[in-house]
């Protein structure tokens, strides 16, 4: 009987540790997905010939300055704050 309680407690402790360790990664992924969604129209309009990867789209958006929509800019700011330091 005692072994079942120890096993249940150990399983709960492991699940809790796993959940807390993956929370920052989940927040980071969610912020990046939101930024992709919010910036989709900006990328199509402002950076149509830029190939994804290597930060090229981010550099293109940065180079467009005030042309980037406020929604995209806010989403990129949120995504940057979700990045681990």
């Amino acid at each position: 009987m005692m072994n079942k309680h120890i096993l249940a407690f150990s399983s709960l402790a492991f699940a809790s540790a796993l959940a807390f360790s993956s929370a920052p990664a989940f927040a980071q992924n969610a912020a990046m997905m939101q930024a992709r969604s919010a910036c989709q129209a900006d990328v199509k309009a402002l950076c149509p010939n830029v190939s994804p990867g290597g930060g090229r789209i981010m550099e293109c958006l940065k180079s467009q300055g005030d042309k980037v929509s406020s929604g995209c800019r806010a989403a990129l700011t949120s995504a940057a704050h979700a990045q681990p330091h």
Side-chain angles (χ1 to χ4, degrees), residues 32-66:
M32 287 304 297
M33 293 301 292
Q34 184 178 10
R36 283 188 184 131
S37 177
C39 296
Q40 188 173 14
D42 292 81
V43 171
K44 285 182 181 180
L46 303 172
C47 308
N49 299 320
V50 177
S51 300
R56 288 184 290 270
I57 290 177
M58 289 297 296
E59 286 302 316
C60 176
L61 290 174
K62 284 180 187 177
S63 73
Q64 297 297 325
D66 292 341

Side-chain angles (χ1 to χ4, degrees), residues 69-83:
S69 70
S70 60
C72 175
R73 191 177 330 226
L76 290 173
T77 300
S78 292
H81 286 29
Q83 297 290 326

Side-chain angles (χ1 to χ4, degrees), residues 10-26:
S10 296
S11 297
L12 180 61
F14 176 73
S16 296
L18 182 61
F20 283 116
S21 68
S22 64
F26 178 77

